[in-house]
Amino acid sequence: MAGYFEPATSVPGGAAIALDEVEISILRSLAIQLLELIGPGEEPANGGDPLDELFAEGPSEPPSDPALARFFPDAYSGPDQKQDDDARAASAEFRRFTENDLRARKREDGLAVVKALDALTPAGDQGAVLTLTPDESRQWLGALNDLRLAIGARLEITDEEDGNGLYALPDSDPRKPMVMAYLWLGGLQESLVETLLP
């Protein structure tokens, strides 16, 4: 394995990747930061009815953080489009009933990454092999996508042309580590998608 996902031989439909200690540490740190960005879930109060959570309404305003705005965009307009009153009202209504579930799913995906990495035991320079089931692969794919969206927002990447300029950044540029993470995550994401294709 060359640092990218490949079909798992031991798990039908699964994926496997060899990760060294540094890669494990970076992925875990990024996943923890993703979880912090998404925020904690709303737990029912002690003795509260868990069904109340199912009917809880979410926020109606878009997030002010650019990364969260990419995770939870307005449903009835593009990122740079002005909304009329009808589109704004429809977006707010849609957000109220969907954002909590989206946040919960993104949180579950991020937690799946952290748990899988925590279960690995690197063997010195050899690292460790992470093997994912098809369901775990989908969770990882969601988390990798969210990580790239968050980093892309921080780097102010809005289209492919913005991304192309990243390759030419000098090593002295303070954005270089984020760029390297963004590109590496893109490679991981692409190789994981390929393992999921029939």
Side-chain angles (χ1 to χ4, degrees):
M1 270 177 227
Y4 291 103
F5 284 99
E6 298 176 1
T9 54
S10 60
V11 179
I17 185 171
L19 297 168
D20 63 31
E21 285 188 62
V22 172
E23 292 167 328
I24 293 168
S25 176
I26 291 170
L27 279 170
R28 189 181 189 287
S29 174
L30 289 171
I32 294 290
Q33 291 176 57
L34 175 67
L35 290 170
E36 289 171 355
L37 178 65
I38 293 167
E42 298 296 323
E43 298 296 327
N46 284 344
D49 185 349
L51 288 177
D52 287 345
E53 186 179 344
L54 291 174
F55 299 104
E57 292 183 5
S60 58
E61 293 297 317
S64 58
D65 183 293
L68 288 175
R70 287 199 184 175
F71 292 167
F72 312 112
D74 278 327
Y76 295 97
S77 67
D80 297 324
Q81 292 178 329
K82 281 280 196 189
Q83 286 185 322
D84 62 24
D85 290 341
D86 290 339
R88 191 174 299 109
S91 289
E93 188 76 0
F94 184 81
R95 182 179 301 283
R96 277 185 35 227
F97 294 109
T98 61
E99 188 169 316
N100 284 348
D101 288 342
L102 286 171
R103 278 184 187 266
R105 194 200 61 195
K106 290 177 183 302
R107 204 171 7 262
E108 288 170 12
D109 291 349
L111 282 170
V113 170
V114 172
K115 287 177 183 176
L117 294 171
D118 285 350
L120 290 178
T121 308
D125 293 340
Q126 301 301 313
V129 175
L130 172 69
T131 303
L132 303 174
T133 66
D135 286 342
E136 291 168 332
S137 294
R138 284 185 277 283
Q139 286 184 299
W140 268 71
L141 193 56
L144 290 172
N145 186 61
D146 289 342
L147 286 169
R148 289 195 79 233
L149 284 173
I151 293 171
R154 298 292 185 250
L155 292 170
E156 299 179 352
I157 297 171
T158 57
D159 59 28
E160 194 172 322
E161 288 181 25
D162 291 341
N164 290 338
L166 299 176
Y167 292 100
L169 286 179
D171 289 343
S172 59
D173 192 302
R175 298 172 295 168
K176 190 70 171 197
M178 263 201 304
V179 168
M180 298 305 293
Y182 179 80
L183 297 173
W184 178 52
L185 292 168
L188 292 179
Q189 186 179 18
E190 184 177 337
S191 66
L192 185 53
V193 166
E194 288 172 4
T195 69
L196 294 172
L197 296 175

